[in-house]
Amino acid sequence: MRPLIGVTTYVEPASWGVWHDLPTALVPQAYVEAVTLAGGRAVLLPPDDLDADVLRALHGLVLSGGADLGPQLYGAEPEPLTDTRPDRDGAELLLARAALERDLPVLGVCRGMQLLTVAAGGTLHQHLPDVLGHERHRPAPGVYGTHTAAFADGSRIAGLLGDEAEIHCYHHQGVADPGTLLVTGRAPDGLPETVEDPARRFLLGVQWHPEVIRDKRLFGALIDAAGG
């Protein structure tokens, strides 16, 4: 059987057919295809903060991208441009913490990397242009930024991608303090691009969107760790 990989979903207004602006649990098909092409079976997980029992049936977890995390989760007040989804925050932190307790393989993508950081006691920058002085990580609505990321020698990410790689990113928040996680990749401006926990079976957060190119190196590593 292919490893079952849970993928967290968005809840956003969506329209199809005769239906318009219905609250809908969804995720870009790119995530599903990335898991499938790497040899796994994607299982979509809508926000549910009652328990994390679904992890008993899963072999791995992808924490997907999306809206900003609530800053109260890391002891900060919201800034004007922070756009949150409290239903996702509660449900996904529950899943992330339970996955860490079980040592379940986890890949965090963009918001997912930030979620892992907060779960590990870290903090975020709420609006990167205020910190970095540029908007290259989210150059325009719906337009991915592209730049290189450099990776630490001996890290898991370097073992998968080499010393550096060109990445596609779309975010206006970023990691300020990684908590107990290890920063193993950075953008040219110094922003953390990857976090890891070498003591775990597979825990990797990336600040970019590898699903866009169906990156078999990252999703394949998750599947391999999950027993694929």
Side-chain angles (χ1 to χ4, degrees), residues 99-137:
L100 296 180
E101 290 177 2
R102 296 168 181 264
D103 199 18
L104 191 75
V106 179
L107 174 63
V109 174
C110 196
R111 167 192 160 95
M113 169 171 151
Q114 296 168 12
L115 185 86
L116 288 173
T117 297
V118 171
T123 62
L124 305 178
H125 297 299
Q126 290 187 53
H127 190 54
L128 291 175
D130 293 341
V131 178
L132 301 176
H134 65 78
E135 298 190 14
R136 289 192 289 274
H137 295 282

PDB file of all heavy atoms in Angstrom, residues 99-137:
ATOM      1  N   ALA A  99       2.053  15.098  15.974  1.00  0.00           N
ATOM      2  CA  ALA A  99       2.979  14.455  15.049  1.00  0.00           C
ATOM      3  C   ALA A  99       4.401  14.457  15.609  1.00  0.00           C
ATOM      4  O   ALA A  99       5.133  13.470  15.471  1.00  0.00           O
ATOM      5  CB  ALA A  99       2.941  15.151  13.693  1.00  0.00           C
ATOM      6  N   LEU A 100       4.794  15.551  16.254  1.00  0.00           N
ATOM      7  CA  LEU A 100       6.120  15.613  16.868  1.00  0.00           C
ATOM      8  C   LEU A 100       6.234  14.590  17.995  1.00  0.00           C
ATOM      9  O   LEU A 100       7.270  13.931  18.141  1.00  0.00           O
ATOM     10  CB  LEU A 100       6.391  17.016  17.392  1.00  0.00           C
ATOM     11  CG  LEU A 100       6.466  18.131  16.345  1.00  0.00           C
ATOM     12  CD1 LEU A 100       6.747  19.473  17.017  1.00  0.00           C
ATOM     13  CD2 LEU A 100       7.519  17.838  15.296  1.00  0.00           C
ATOM     14  N   GLU A 101       5.189  14.453  18.785  1.00  0.00           N
ATOM     15  CA  GLU A 101       5.209  13.477  19.879  1.00  0.00           C
ATOM     16  C   GLU A 101       5.356  12.053  19.346  1.00  0.00           C
ATOM     17  O   GLU A 101       6.026  11.220  19.955  1.00  0.00           O
ATOM     18  CB  GLU A 101       3.933  13.586  20.701  1.00  0.00           C
ATOM     19  CG  GLU A 101       3.828  14.852  21.538  1.00  0.00           C
ATOM     20  CD  GLU A 101       2.516  14.952  22.287  1.00  0.00           C
ATOM     21  OE1 GLU A 101       1.701  14.008  22.184  1.00  0.00           O
ATOM     22  OE2 GLU A 101       2.296  15.979  22.963  1.00  0.00           O
ATOM     23  N   ARG A 102       4.733  11.780  18.201  1.00  0.00           N
ATOM     24  CA  ARG A 102       4.772  10.434  17.609  1.00  0.00           C
ATOM     25  C   ARG A 102       5.994  10.216  16.727  1.00  0.00           C
ATOM     26  O   ARG A 102       6.206   9.103  16.245  1.00  0.00           O
ATOM     27  CB  ARG A 102       3.521  10.206  16.754  1.00  0.00           C
ATOM     28  CG  ARG A 102       2.208  10.215  17.523  1.00  0.00           C
ATOM     29  CD  ARG A 102       1.033  10.288  16.560  1.00  0.00           C
ATOM     30  NE  ARG A 102      -0.240  10.331  17.269  1.00  0.00           N
ATOM     31  CZ  ARG A 102      -1.005   9.282  17.505  1.00  0.00           C
ATOM     32  NH1 ARG A 102      -0.626   8.091  17.080  1.00  0.00           N
ATOM     33  NH2 ARG A 102      -2.143   9.389  18.163  1.00  0.00           N
ATOM     34  N   ASP A 103       6.768  11.280  16.478  1.00  0.00           N
ATOM     35  CA  ASP A 103       7.874  11.250  15.525  1.00  0.00           C
ATOM     36  C   ASP A 103       7.386  10.833  14.144  1.00  0.00           C
ATOM     37  O   ASP A 103       8.045  10.077  13.428  1.00  0.00           O
ATOM     38  CB  ASP A 103       8.995  10.324  15.996  1.00  0.00           C
ATOM     39  CG  ASP A 103      10.315  10.627  15.292  1.00  0.00           C
ATOM     40  OD1 ASP A 103      10.450  11.736  14.725  1.00  0.00           O
ATOM     41  OD2 ASP A 103      11.208   9.750  15.285  1.00  0.00           O
ATOM     42  N   LEU A 104       6.214  11.339  13.757  1.00  0.00           N
ATOM     43  CA  LEU A 104       5.675  11.111  12.421  1.00  0.00           C
ATOM     44  C   LEU A 104       6.430  11.992  11.434  1.00  0.00           C
ATOM     45  O   LEU A 104       6.700  13.162  11.727  1.00  0.00           O
ATOM     46  CB  LEU A 104       4.186  11.469  12.411  1.00  0.00           C
ATOM     47  CG  LEU A 104       3.372  11.051  11.188  1.00  0.00           C
ATOM     48  CD1 LEU A 104       3.109   9.551  11.224  1.00  0.00           C
ATOM     49  CD2 LEU A 104       2.057  11.817  11.143  1.00  0.00           C
ATOM     50  N   PRO A 105       6.790  11.497  10.264  1.00  0.00           N
ATOM     51  CA  PRO A 105       7.464  12.344   9.276  1.00  0.00           C
ATOM     52  C   PRO A 105       6.587  13.532   8.877  1.00  0.00           C
ATOM     53  O   PRO A 105       5.403  13.367   8.562  1.00  0.00           O
ATOM     54  CB  PRO A 105       7.686  11.392   8.093  1.00  0.00           C
ATOM     55  CG  PRO A 105       7.760  10.035   8.720  1.00  0.00           C
ATOM     56  CD  PRO A 105       6.757  10.077   9.836  1.00  0.00           C
ATOM     57  N   VAL A 106       7.169  14.739   8.887  1.00  0.00           N
ATOM     58  CA  VAL A 106       6.425  15.965   8.608  1.00  0.00           C
ATOM     59  C   VAL A 106       7.214  16.839   7.650  1.00  0.00           C
ATOM     60  O   VAL A 106       8.414  17.064   7.836  1.00  0.00           O
ATOM     61  CB  VAL A 106       6.149  16.766   9.895  1.00  0.00           C
ATOM     62  CG1 VAL A 106       5.379  18.054   9.566  1.00  0.00           C
ATOM     63  CG2 VAL A 106       5.358  15.939  10.904  1.00  0.00           C
ATOM     64  N   LEU A 107       6.504  17.346   6.624  1.00  0.00           N
ATOM     65  CA  LEU A 107       7.042  18.368   5.731  1.00  0.00           C
ATOM     66  C   LEU A 107       6.161  19.602   5.866  1.00  0.00           C
ATOM     67  O   LEU A 107       4.951  19.541   5.614  1.00  0.00           O
ATOM     68  CB  LEU A 107       7.033  17.874   4.276  1.00  0.00           C
ATOM     69  CG  LEU A 107       7.431  18.901   3.204  1.00  0.00           C
ATOM     70  CD1 LEU A 107       8.879  19.354   3.386  1.00  0.00           C
ATOM     71  CD2 LEU A 107       7.224  18.319   1.804  1.00  0.00           C
ATOM     72  N   GLY A 108       6.746  20.731   6.281  1.00  0.00           N
ATOM     73  CA  GLY A 108       6.018  21.983   6.395  1.00  0.00           C
ATOM     74  C   GLY A 108       6.341  22.890   5.224  1.00  0.00           C
ATOM     75  O   GLY A 108       7.518  23.140   4.944  1.00  0.00           O
ATOM     76  N   VAL A 109       5.306  23.364   4.536  1.00  0.00           N
ATOM     77  CA  VAL A 109       5.478  24.201   3.345  1.00  0.00           C
ATOM     78  C   VAL A 109       4.997  25.617   3.643  1.00  0.00           C
ATOM     79  O   VAL A 109       3.826  25.809   3.989  1.00  0.00           O
ATOM     80  CB  VAL A 109       4.694  23.617   2.152  1.00  0.00           C
ATOM     81  CG1 VAL A 109       4.745  24.563   0.955  1.00  0.00           C
ATOM     82  CG2 VAL A 109       5.233  22.243   1.772  1.00  0.00           C
ATOM     83  N   CYS A 110       5.881  26.595   3.528  1.00  0.00           N
ATOM     84  CA  CYS A 110       5.577  28.019   3.691  1.00  0.00           C
ATOM     85  C   CYS A 110       4.928  28.269   5.060  1.00  0.00           C
ATOM     86  O   CYS A 110       5.614  28.257   6.068  1.00  0.00           O
ATOM     87  CB  CYS A 110       4.719  28.510   2.537  1.00  0.00           C
ATOM     88  SG  CYS A 110       4.662  30.316   2.394  1.00  0.00           S
ATOM     89  N   ARG A 111       3.615  28.494   5.112  1.00  0.00           N
ATOM     90  CA  ARG A 111       2.934  28.610   6.403  1.00  0.00           C
ATOM     91  C   ARG A 111       3.249  27.391   7.280  1.00  0.00           C
ATOM     92  O   ARG A 111       3.393  27.498   8.500  1.00  0.00           O
ATOM     93  CB  ARG A 111       1.424  28.710   6.188  1.00  0.00           C
ATOM     94  CG  ARG A 111       0.595  28.529   7.471  1.00  0.00           C
ATOM     95  CD  ARG A 111      -0.889  28.343   7.128  1.00  0.00           C
ATOM     96  NE  ARG A 111      -1.595  27.709   8.241  1.00  0.00           N
ATOM     97  CZ  ARG A 111      -2.264  28.373   9.173  1.00  0.00           C
ATOM     98  NH1 ARG A 111      -2.307  29.694   9.146  1.00  0.00           N
ATOM     99  NH2 ARG A 111      -2.878  27.712  10.134  1.00  0.00           N
ATOM    100  N   GLY A 112       3.367  26.216   6.655  1.00  0.00           N
ATOM    101  CA  GLY A 112       3.658  24.990   7.407  1.00  0.00           C
ATOM    102  C   GLY A 112       4.993  25.057   8.115  1.00  0.00           C
ATOM    103  O   GLY A 112       5.142  24.548   9.232  1.00  0.00           O
ATOM    104  N   MET A 113       6.000  25.670   7.488  1.00  0.00           N
ATOM    105  CA  MET A 113       7.290  25.870   8.156  1.00  0.00           C
ATOM    106  C   MET A 113       7.122  26.812   9.336  1.00  0.00           C
ATOM    107  O   MET A 113       7.686  26.592  10.416  1.00  0.00           O
ATOM    108  CB  MET A 113       8.316  26.427   7.171  1.00  0.00           C
ATOM    109  CG  MET A 113       9.598  26.922   7.837  1.00  0.00           C
ATOM    110  SD  MET A 113      10.877  27.343   6.657  1.00  0.00           S
ATOM    111  CE  MET A 113      11.772  28.611   7.555  1.00  0.00           C
ATOM    112  N   GLN A 114       6.346  27.867   9.142  1.00  0.00           N
ATOM    113  CA  GLN A 114       6.116  28.811  10.230  1.00  0.00           C
ATOM    114  C   GLN A 114       5.355  28.149  11.376  1.00  0.00           C
ATOM    115  O   GLN A 114       5.633  28.408  12.554  1.00  0.00           O
ATOM    116  CB  GLN A 114       5.375  30.024   9.690  1.00  0.00           C
ATOM    117  CG  GLN A 114       6.179  30.797   8.665  1.00  0.00           C
ATOM    118  CD  GLN A 114       5.361  31.836   7.914  1.00  0.00           C
ATOM    119  OE1 GLN A 114       4.238  32.145   8.298  1.00  0.00           O
ATOM    120  NE2 GLN A 114       5.913  32.368   6.832  1.00  0.00           N
ATOM    121  N   LEU A 115       4.411  27.279  11.040  1.00  0.00           N
ATOM    122  CA  LEU A 115       3.664  26.552  12.059  1.00  0.00           C
ATOM    123  C   LEU A 115       4.589  25.658  12.882  1.00  0.00           C
ATOM    124  O   LEU A 115       4.501  25.601  14.120  1.00  0.00           O
ATOM    125  CB  LEU A 115       2.560  25.729  11.402  1.00  0.00           C
ATOM    126  CG  LEU A 115       1.619  25.016  12.352  1.00  0.00           C
ATOM    127  CD1 LEU A 115       0.481  25.946  12.774  1.00  0.00           C
ATOM    128  CD2 LEU A 115       1.031  23.772  11.724  1.00  0.00           C
ATOM    129  N   LEU A 116       5.476  24.933  12.204  1.00  0.00           N
ATOM    130  CA  LEU A 116       6.442  24.095  12.913  1.00  0.00           C
ATOM    131  C   LEU A 116       7.311  24.931  13.839  1.00  0.00           C
ATOM    132  O   LEU A 116       7.626  24.523  14.968  1.00  0.00           O
ATOM    133  CB  LEU A 116       7.324  23.337  11.919  1.00  0.00           C
ATOM    134  CG  LEU A 116       6.661  22.191  11.152  1.00  0.00           C
ATOM    135  CD1 LEU A 116       7.606  21.661  10.077  1.00  0.00           C
ATOM    136  CD2 LEU A 116       6.254  21.067  12.112  1.00  0.00           C
ATOM    137  N   THR A 117       7.712  26.107  13.374  1.00  0.00           N
ATOM    138  CA  THR A 117       8.538  26.998  14.182  1.00  0.00           C
ATOM    139  C   THR A 117       7.804  27.424  15.450  1.00  0.00           C
ATOM    140  O   THR A 117       8.374  27.398  16.553  1.00  0.00           O
ATOM    141  CB  THR A 117       8.929  28.238  13.359  1.00  0.00           C
ATOM    142  OG1 THR A 117       9.713  27.823  12.240  1.00  0.00           O
ATOM    143  CG2 THR A 117       9.723  29.220  14.196  1.00  0.00           C
ATOM    144  N   VAL A 118       6.541  27.826  15.308  1.00  0.00           N
ATOM    145  CA  VAL A 118       5.754  28.238  16.469  1.00  0.00           C
ATOM    146  C   VAL A 118       5.530  27.060  17.408  1.00  0.00           C
ATOM    147  O   VAL A 118       5.614  27.207  18.640  1.00  0.00           O
ATOM    148  CB  VAL A 118       4.429  28.871  16.014  1.00  0.00           C
ATOM    149  CG1 VAL A 118       3.509  29.111  17.193  1.00  0.00           C
ATOM    150  CG2 VAL A 118       4.706  30.187  15.287  1.00  0.00           C
ATOM    151  N   ALA A 119       5.267  25.876  16.851  1.00  0.00           N
ATOM    152  CA  ALA A 119       5.096  24.684  17.682  1.00  0.00           C
ATOM    153  C   ALA A 119       6.361  24.372  18.470  1.00  0.00           C
ATOM    154  O   ALA A 119       6.305  23.782  19.559  1.00  0.00           O
ATOM    155  CB  ALA A 119       4.708  23.488  16.816  1.00  0.00           C
ATOM    156  N   ALA A 120       7.516  24.782  17.928  1.00  0.00           N
ATOM    157  CA  ALA A 120       8.805  24.546  18.594  1.00  0.00           C
ATOM    158  C   ALA A 120       9.216  25.701  19.491  1.00  0.00           C
ATOM    159  O   ALA A 120      10.356  25.757  19.948  1.00  0.00           O
ATOM    160  CB  ALA A 120       9.882  24.290  17.543  1.00  0.00           C
ATOM    161  N   GLY A 121       8.296  26.646  19.739  1.00  0.00           N
ATOM    162  CA  GLY A 121       8.594  27.750  20.642  1.00  0.00           C
ATOM    163  C   GLY A 121       9.200  28.973  19.980  1.00  0.00           C
ATOM    164  O   GLY A 121       9.689  29.865  20.682  1.00  0.00           O
ATOM    165  N   GLY A 122       9.168  29.034  18.652  1.00  0.00           N
ATOM    166  CA  GLY A 122       9.768  30.151  17.947  1.00  0.00           C
ATOM    167  C   GLY A 122       8.801  31.293  17.698  1.00  0.00           C
ATOM    168  O   GLY A 122       7.639  31.263  18.115  1.00  0.00           O
ATOM    169  N   THR A 123       9.279  32.310  16.995  1.00  0.00           N
ATOM    170  CA  THR A 123       8.487  33.503  16.694  1.00  0.00           C
ATOM    171  C   THR A 123       8.652  33.885  15.222  1.00  0.00           C
ATOM    172  O   THR A 123       9.582  33.415  14.542  1.00  0.00           O
ATOM    173  CB  THR A 123       8.905  34.699  17.572  1.00  0.00           C
ATOM    174  OG1 THR A 123      10.272  35.022  17.306  1.00  0.00           O
ATOM    175  CG2 THR A 123       8.729  34.381  19.049  1.00  0.00           C
ATOM    176  N   LEU A 124       7.756  34.772  14.752  1.00  0.00           N
ATOM    177  CA  LEU A 124       7.736  35.175  13.357  1.00  0.00           C
ATOM    178  C   LEU A 124       7.860  36.690  13.212  1.00  0.00           C
ATOM    179  O   LEU A 124       7.470  37.441  14.109  1.00  0.00           O
ATOM    180  CB  LEU A 124       6.428  34.735  12.688  1.00  0.00           C
ATOM    181  CG  LEU A 124       6.057  33.257  12.771  1.00  0.00           C
ATOM    182  CD1 LEU A 124       4.705  33.032  12.097  1.00  0.00           C
ATOM    183  CD2 LEU A 124       7.127  32.366  12.166  1.00  0.00           C
ATOM    184  N   HIS A 125       8.380  37.120  12.061  1.00  0.00           N
ATOM    185  CA  HIS A 125       8.236  38.489  11.602  1.00  0.00           C
ATOM    186  C   HIS A 125       6.881  38.574  10.909  1.00  0.00           C
ATOM    187  O   HIS A 125       6.580  37.772  10.012  1.00  0.00           O
ATOM    188  CB  HIS A 125       9.328  38.862  10.599  1.00  0.00           C
ATOM    189  CG  HIS A 125      10.719  38.827  11.133  1.00  0.00           C
ATOM    190  ND1 HIS A 125      11.131  39.625  12.188  1.00  0.00           N
ATOM    191  CD2 HIS A 125      11.810  38.100  10.749  1.00  0.00           C
ATOM    192  CE1 HIS A 125      12.418  39.406  12.425  1.00  0.00           C
ATOM    193  NE2 HIS A 125      12.850  38.489  11.584  1.00  0.00           N
ATOM    194  N   GLN A 126       6.063  39.560  11.278  1.00  0.00           N
ATOM    195  CA  GLN A 126       4.717  39.613  10.711  1.00  0.00           C
ATOM    196  C   GLN A 126       4.657  40.256   9.334  1.00  0.00           C
ATOM    197  O   GLN A 126       3.714  39.994   8.581  1.00  0.00           O
ATOM    198  CB  GLN A 126       3.775  40.339  11.671  1.00  0.00           C
ATOM    199  CG  GLN A 126       3.480  39.527  12.927  1.00  0.00           C
ATOM    200  CD  GLN A 126       2.417  40.164  13.780  1.00  0.00           C
ATOM    201  OE1 GLN A 126       1.329  40.480  13.308  1.00  0.00           O
ATOM    202  NE2 GLN A 126       2.715  40.344  15.057  1.00  0.00           N
ATOM    203  N   HIS A 127       5.612  41.100   8.974  1.00  0.00           N
ATOM    204  CA  HIS A 127       5.606  41.706   7.632  1.00  0.00           C
ATOM    205  C   HIS A 127       7.045  41.962   7.216  1.00  0.00           C
ATOM    206  O   HIS A 127       7.686  42.909   7.670  1.00  0.00           O
ATOM    207  CB  HIS A 127       4.795  43.006   7.624  1.00  0.00           C
ATOM    208  CG  HIS A 127       4.546  43.533   6.250  1.00  0.00           C
ATOM    209  ND1 HIS A 127       3.960  42.775   5.246  1.00  0.00           N
ATOM    210  CD2 HIS A 127       4.801  44.754   5.695  1.00  0.00           C
ATOM    211  CE1 HIS A 127       3.858  43.505   4.153  1.00  0.00           C
ATOM    212  NE2 HIS A 127       4.370  44.696   4.390  1.00  0.00           N
ATOM    213  N   LEU A 128       7.547  41.120   6.333  1.00  0.00           N
ATOM    214  CA  LEU A 128       8.962  41.148   5.985  1.00  0.00           C
ATOM    215  C   LEU A 128       9.440  42.464   5.376  1.00  0.00           C
ATOM    216  O   LEU A 128      10.579  42.874   5.659  1.00  0.00           O
ATOM    217  CB  LEU A 128       9.287  39.987   5.037  1.00  0.00           C
ATOM    218  CG  LEU A 128       9.216  38.592   5.681  1.00  0.00           C
ATOM    219  CD1 LEU A 128       9.432  37.523   4.622  1.00  0.00           C
ATOM    220  CD2 LEU A 128      10.237  38.454   6.800  1.00  0.00           C
ATOM    221  N   PRO A 129       8.654  43.142   4.547  1.00  0.00           N
ATOM    222  CA  PRO A 129       9.168  44.416   4.026  1.00  0.00           C
ATOM    223  C   PRO A 129       9.549  45.406   5.116  1.00  0.00           C
ATOM    224  O   PRO A 129      10.468  46.215   4.931  1.00  0.00           O
ATOM    225  CB  PRO A 129       7.998  44.937   3.180  1.00  0.00           C
ATOM    226  CG  PRO A 129       7.322  43.685   2.706  1.00  0.00           C
ATOM    227  CD  PRO A 129       7.398  42.745   3.884  1.00  0.00           C
ATOM    228  N   ASP A 130       8.879  45.340   6.270  1.00  0.00           N
ATOM    229  CA  ASP A 130       9.245  46.223   7.378  1.00  0.00           C
ATOM    230  C   ASP A 130      10.596  45.854   7.982  1.00  0.00           C
ATOM    231  O   ASP A 130      11.264  46.693   8.589  1.00  0.00           O
ATOM    232  CB  ASP A 130       8.179  46.168   8.481  1.00  0.00           C
ATOM    233  CG  ASP A 130       6.850  46.753   8.036  1.00  0.00           C
ATOM    234  OD1 ASP A 130       6.832  47.514   7.048  1.00  0.00           O
ATOM    235  OD2 ASP A 130       5.826  46.433   8.673  1.00  0.00           O
ATOM    236  N   VAL A 131      10.979  44.594   7.822  1.00  0.00           N
ATOM    237  CA  VAL A 131      12.231  44.097   8.412  1.00  0.00           C
ATOM    238  C   VAL A 131      13.371  44.115   7.402  1.00  0.00           C
ATOM    239  O   VAL A 131      14.497  44.507   7.714  1.00  0.00           O
ATOM    240  CB  VAL A 131      12.022  42.658   8.951  1.00  0.00           C
ATOM    241  CG1 VAL A 131      13.322  42.095   9.519  1.00  0.00           C
ATOM    242  CG2 VAL A 131      10.923  42.621   9.991  1.00  0.00           C
ATOM    243  N   LEU A 132      13.057  43.689   6.173  1.00  0.00           N
ATOM    244  CA  LEU A 132      14.093  43.506   5.155  1.00  0.00           C
ATOM    245  C   LEU A 132      14.216  44.686   4.210  1.00  0.00           C
ATOM    246  O   LEU A 132      15.227  44.826   3.514  1.00  0.00           O
ATOM    247  CB  LEU A 132      13.793  42.237   4.342  1.00  0.00           C
ATOM    248  CG  LEU A 132      13.712  40.932   5.136  1.00  0.00           C
ATOM    249  CD1 LEU A 132      13.309  39.793   4.216  1.00  0.00           C
ATOM    250  CD2 LEU A 132      15.035  40.623   5.834  1.00  0.00           C
ATOM    251  N   GLY A 133      13.161  45.491   4.115  1.00  0.00           N
ATOM    252  CA  GLY A 133      13.220  46.647   3.231  1.00  0.00           C
ATOM    253  C   GLY A 133      12.938  46.342   1.772  1.00  0.00           C
ATOM    254  O   GLY A 133      13.222  47.173   0.897  1.00  0.00           O
ATOM    255  N   HIS A 134      12.386  45.163   1.473  1.00  0.00           N
ATOM    256  CA  HIS A 134      12.035  44.824   0.088  1.00  0.00           C
ATOM    257  C   HIS A 134      10.886  43.824   0.090  1.00  0.00           C
ATOM    258  O   HIS A 134      10.514  43.284   1.132  1.00  0.00           O
ATOM    259  CB  HIS A 134      13.245  44.261  -0.664  1.00  0.00           C
ATOM    260  CG  HIS A 134      13.737  42.954  -0.134  1.00  0.00           C
ATOM    261  ND1 HIS A 134      13.109  41.751  -0.402  1.00  0.00           N
ATOM    262  CD2 HIS A 134      14.804  42.639   0.658  1.00  0.00           C
ATOM    263  CE1 HIS A 134      13.763  40.766   0.185  1.00  0.00           C
ATOM    264  NE2 HIS A 134      14.790  41.272   0.842  1.00  0.00           N
ATOM    265  N   GLU A 135      10.331  43.573  -1.100  1.00  0.00           N
ATOM    266  CA  GLU A 135       9.187  42.679  -1.235  1.00  0.00           C
ATOM    267  C   GLU A 135       9.499  41.508  -2.168  1.00  0.00           C
ATOM    268  O   GLU A 135       8.600  40.945  -2.791  1.00  0.00           O
ATOM    269  CB  GLU A 135       7.964  43.458  -1.738  1.00  0.00           C
ATOM    270  CG  GLU A 135       7.532  44.553  -0.767  1.00  0.00           C
ATOM    271  CD  GLU A 135       6.190  45.161  -1.129  1.00  0.00           C
ATOM    272  OE1 GLU A 135       5.461  44.579  -1.956  1.00  0.00           O
ATOM    273  OE2 GLU A 135       5.871  46.227  -0.574  1.00  0.00           O
ATOM    274  N   ARG A 136      10.740  41.093  -2.220  1.00  0.00           N
ATOM    275  CA  ARG A 136      11.121  40.041  -3.164  1.00  0.00           C
ATOM    276  C   ARG A 136      10.579  38.674  -2.789  1.00  0.00           C
ATOM    277  O   ARG A 136      10.542  37.772  -3.633  1.00  0.00           O
ATOM    278  CB  ARG A 136      12.651  39.995  -3.299  1.00  0.00           C
ATOM    279  CG  ARG A 136      13.213  41.201  -4.055  1.00  0.00           C
ATOM    280  CD  ARG A 136      14.665  41.016  -4.444  1.00  0.00           C
ATOM    281  NE  ARG A 136      15.566  41.072  -3.305  1.00  0.00           N
ATOM    282  CZ  ARG A 136      16.072  42.192  -2.805  1.00  0.00           C
ATOM    283  NH1 ARG A 136      15.739  43.368  -3.331  1.00  0.00           N
ATOM    284  NH2 ARG A 136      16.902  42.166  -1.786  1.00  0.00           N
ATOM    285  N   HIS A 137      10.163  38.481  -1.541  1.00  0.00           N
ATOM    286  CA  HIS A 137       9.591  37.185  -1.159  1.00  0.00           C
ATOM    287  C   HIS A 137       8.112  37.067  -1.553  1.00  0.00           C
ATOM    288  O   HIS A 137       7.567  35.970  -1.544  1.00  0.00           O
ATOM    289  CB  HIS A 137       9.750  36.968   0.348  1.00  0.00           C
ATOM    290  CG  HIS A 137      11.181  36.860   0.767  1.00  0.00           C
ATOM    291  ND1 HIS A 137      11.929  35.710   0.598  1.00  0.00           N
ATOM    292  CD2 HIS A 137      12.016  37.778   1.334  1.00  0.00           C
ATOM    293  CE1 HIS A 137      13.154  35.907   1.048  1.00  0.00           C
ATOM    294  NE2 HIS A 137      13.233  37.149   1.499  1.00  0.00           N
TER     295      HIS A 137
END
